[in-house]
Amino acid sequence: MRTKFGHVTYCSNIHLGESWEDHFEELKTYLPKIKTQFSPNEPFGIGLRLSNEASVSLSQSDTLFEWKKWLKQESMYVISINGFPYGGFHSEVVKEGVYHPDWSTLERYEYTKRLFFLLNEMLPEGEEGGVSTPPLSYLYFDSNETDLVKRKKNCTHYIIQTLVDLIRIKKKESRILHLDIEPEPDGFLGTFVNLVNWYENELLPMAIPILNQEFGFDEGIAIQNTKEHIRFCLDVCHLAVTHEINDVLFSELKRTGIKVGRIQVSSALKVDFSESIEGKLKLLKPFDEKKYLHQVVAVKQNGTKLSFKDLGEAIMNGAELGEEWRIHFHVPIFLDSYGEFLSTQEELLTVLKMQKQFPFTNVLEIETYTWNVLPTPLQISLESSIIRELDWLKTNLSEKKN
């Protein structure tokens, strides 16, 4: 749904279906009911997640025609695509497999190129749109620095090839499409700071001569085009875990001119160990589920930070009195506490306040994909959960909210 602060939507990665046939059935089941309750009189925007398998099927002209026809009759539109998980996002075990294939491979490049073809076909006339994507690769795929550097360089090569493709689309069709890179703990670009360093010291130096050769761009125009098409996906949960929702984030966005492709509206799990250490560690165990990675950043009383690849590792290590943990576990955005635990809702409200004061993106996409792996007491029906999150976001974007 369009608001004065951007399109409000949610990501369909919460819905099952790796094949297009299965995913479309899920969307037909849920989307009309959600639209009726949340946006009965206005077109409803969709943040579409497509696996590689689904993207191949949807690229068939008859299948794409049927989907677009359905969107029109239901008064819906696609405003963004989630291209982070290539496939198997609802498998029994996902973990670091969500990064495969990474940006060092032709498979990731071709998948993303196909997603841009589909997004260009589906976007409303006059709208720009983005495809979200992983932070290049996973930090622990390589056991030595030489291989890591080589992988990162290959990743950057395919990002630049995507940039070239997007510039060609703009020249041909006057449509702005952008790749939204999503920092996540333990990714190559695990933090916003990592993203900025890579962008300024690796991406731009490699891209400028290539854009000069391909299009005759001078340095200034090459930088301008790179920043138009290669953007930052601001996942609030991820940046709350890495303690980066602060004034530095917004000042660096202004300094660098890196654009925000979308806000992924999300909250992380937060644990205060000021008391009851063993009791809280025990209560955390149901969150240590086997499907997704739940990286942890622990801050000790003296300010020292410790990072853990997954929640189980952090629980095994234990906690000290006064520590605070932030856990990459997407929890419902409408709650600021969960019994003994807290959320990073405060950071989310900070980002929404900045978006209202100085709008820096046109898409606000809720991304709580962990409903089916939350501990049982926190689970409610999927339809009710999605509507409650959309209503919470809409309320907190209202002008009455400061």
Side-chain angles (χ1 to χ4, degrees):
M1 186 180 80
R2 186 194 298 272
T3 74
K4 68 178 293 184
F5 302 112
H7 296 270
V8 170
T9 184
Y10 78 97
C11 182
S12 74
N13 63 356
I14 186 56
H15 298 301
L16 299 174
E18 289 301 305
S19 72
W20 173 247
E21 182 181 12
D22 289 345
H23 198 57
F24 193 13
E25 284 302 313
E26 283 276 304
L27 298 181
K28 286 189 287 189
T29 298
Y30 286 99
L31 285 175
K33 293 185 287 188
I34 291 166
K35 182 188 183 303
T36 297
Q37 295 182 65
F38 179 68
S39 180
N41 302 315
E42 299 176 53
F44 181 62
I46 303 168
L48 187 64
R49 184 258 160 166
L50 292 172
S51 69
N52 180 66
E53 178 187 350
S55 72
V56 171
S57 298
L58 189 55
S59 296
Q60 302 301 311
S61 57
D62 291 348
T63 308
L64 184 56
F65 177 80
E66 178 190 12
W67 166 238
K68 291 167 72 173
K69 181 181 177 181
W70 186 85
L71 287 172
K72 186 175 182 179
Q73 74 183 31
E74 297 293 336
S75 188
M76 299 182 193
Y77 60 96
V78 173
I79 193 61
S80 59
I81 289 182
N82 183 334
F84 195 130
Y86 180 92
F89 192 61
H90 293 281
S91 300
E92 189 174 343
V93 179
V94 180
K95 297 295 183 181
E96 66 270 19
V98 75
Y99 286 94
H100 282 303
D102 67 11
W103 269 102
S104 69
T105 66
L106 181 62
E107 289 88 349
R108 172 64 67 171
Y109 163 71
E110 290 181 337
Y111 162 59
T112 307
K113 185 174 183 178
R114 191 180 310 114
L115 294 182
F116 276 117
F117 161 76
L118 291 167
L119 183 60
N120 192 37
E121 287 288 322
M122 294 184 288
L123 276 172
E125 187 175 349
E127 292 283 357
E128 64 175 47
V131 172
S132 64
T133 201
L136 306 188
S137 188
Y138 185 58
L139 202 55
Y140 300 107
F141 281 161
D142 297 303
S143 58
N144 62 78
E145 186 70 17
T146 300
D147 288 344
L148 189 149
V149 169
K150 182 179 179 181
R151 183 186 296 269
K152 195 174 184 184
K153 186 174 182 180
N154 289 338
C155 289
T156 306
H157 162 77
Y158 280 119
I159 294 285
I160 293 171
Q161 185 56 58
T162 301
L163 168 61
V164 170
D165 295 339
L166 297 179
I167 293 172
R168 286 177 178 151
I169 291 172
K170 183 184 177 184
K171 284 180 169 291
K172 182 180 179 182
E173 304 189 30
S174 299
R175 169 89 80 183
I176 296 175
L177 301 175
H178 42 87
L179 184 68
D180 304 336
I181 298 177
E182 181 181 339
E184 177 178 294
D186 293 338
F188 270 16
L189 310 179
T191 65
F192 174 67
V193 170
N194 294 154
L195 174 77
V196 171
N197 287 339
W198 168 78
Y199 206 111
E200 295 188 323
N201 300 315
E202 297 178 59
L203 176 64
L204 286 175
M206 284 181 65
I208 289 169
I210 292 172
L211 297 187
N212 175 265
Q213 182 179 356
E214 290 283 342
F215 304 106
F217 292 164
D218 63 25
E219 181 175 323
I221 298 299
I223 292 172
Q224 179 183 329
N225 274 268
T226 303
K227 291 179 179 178
E228 186 75 84
H229 297 288
I230 307 298
R231 301 192 185 185
F232 165 44
C233 174
L234 199 172
D235 187 304
V236 184
C237 168
H238 297 176
L239 266 66
V241 170
T242 56
H243 294 264
E244 293 183 288
I245 303 295
N246 51 39
D247 291 342
V248 174
L249 168 66
F250 299 107
S251 64
E252 277 293 273
L253 286 172
K254 184 176 181 180
R255 179 191 70 80
T256 62
I258 297 173
K259 294 186 176 184
V260 178
R262 75 186 71 181
I263 299 170
Q264 283 190 330
V265 179
S266 52
S267 284
L269 189 63
K270 183 165 70 172
V271 184
D272 175 11
F273 286 103
S274 57
E275 59 181 6
S276 307
I277 294 176
E278 291 306 316
K280 289 182 179 179
L281 288 173
K282 185 176 180 179
L283 289 171
L284 271 176
K285 287 183 179 179
F287 289 90
D288 181 29
E289 52 81 33
K290 64 182 180 180
K291 180 172 286 195
Y292 300 117
L293 281 173
H294 299 296
Q295 303 92 326
V296 179
V297 174
V299 180
K300 295 181 177 294
Q301 274 191 313
N302 63 6
T304 303
K305 292 181 181 178
L306 295 176
S307 296
F308 300 93
K309 297 177 187 177
D310 211 346
L311 178 56
E313 181 183 331
I315 293 172
M316 286 284 291
N317 185 73
E320 295 179 359
L321 193 66
E323 277 187 15
E324 180 194 89
W325 288 12
R326 295 191 178 189
I327 304 164
H328 176 213
F329 198 119
H330 289 240
V331 291
I333 62 174
F334 49 75
L335 295 176
D336 60 4
S337 62
Y338 306 85
E340 293 292 317
F341 305 138
L342 304 169
S343 81
T344 58
Q345 188 190 79
E346 183 178 352
E347 280 81 356
L348 175 54
L349 289 170
T350 296
V351 171
L352 295 180
K353 183 178 179 180
M354 289 299 295
Q355 172 69 5
K356 288 168 65 176
Q357 291 179 343
F358 310 102
F360 50 84
T361 187
N362 74 329
V363 174
L364 298 98
E365 177 186 75
I366 296 170
E367 205 209 17
T368 307
Y369 58 82
T370 51
W371 291 106
N372 59 349
V373 295
L374 280 168
T376 303
L378 296 178
Q379 292 188 17
I380 57 177
S381 77
L382 184 56
E383 180 186 333
S384 300
S385 305
I386 293 168
I387 292 166
R388 192 171 172 187
E389 290 203 301
L390 287 166
D391 284 340
W392 182 92
L393 178 54
K394 185 178 178 181
T395 298
N396 281 278
L397 285 173
S398 70
E399 295 188 51
K400 294 178 183 178
K401 287 276 186 175
N402 293 324

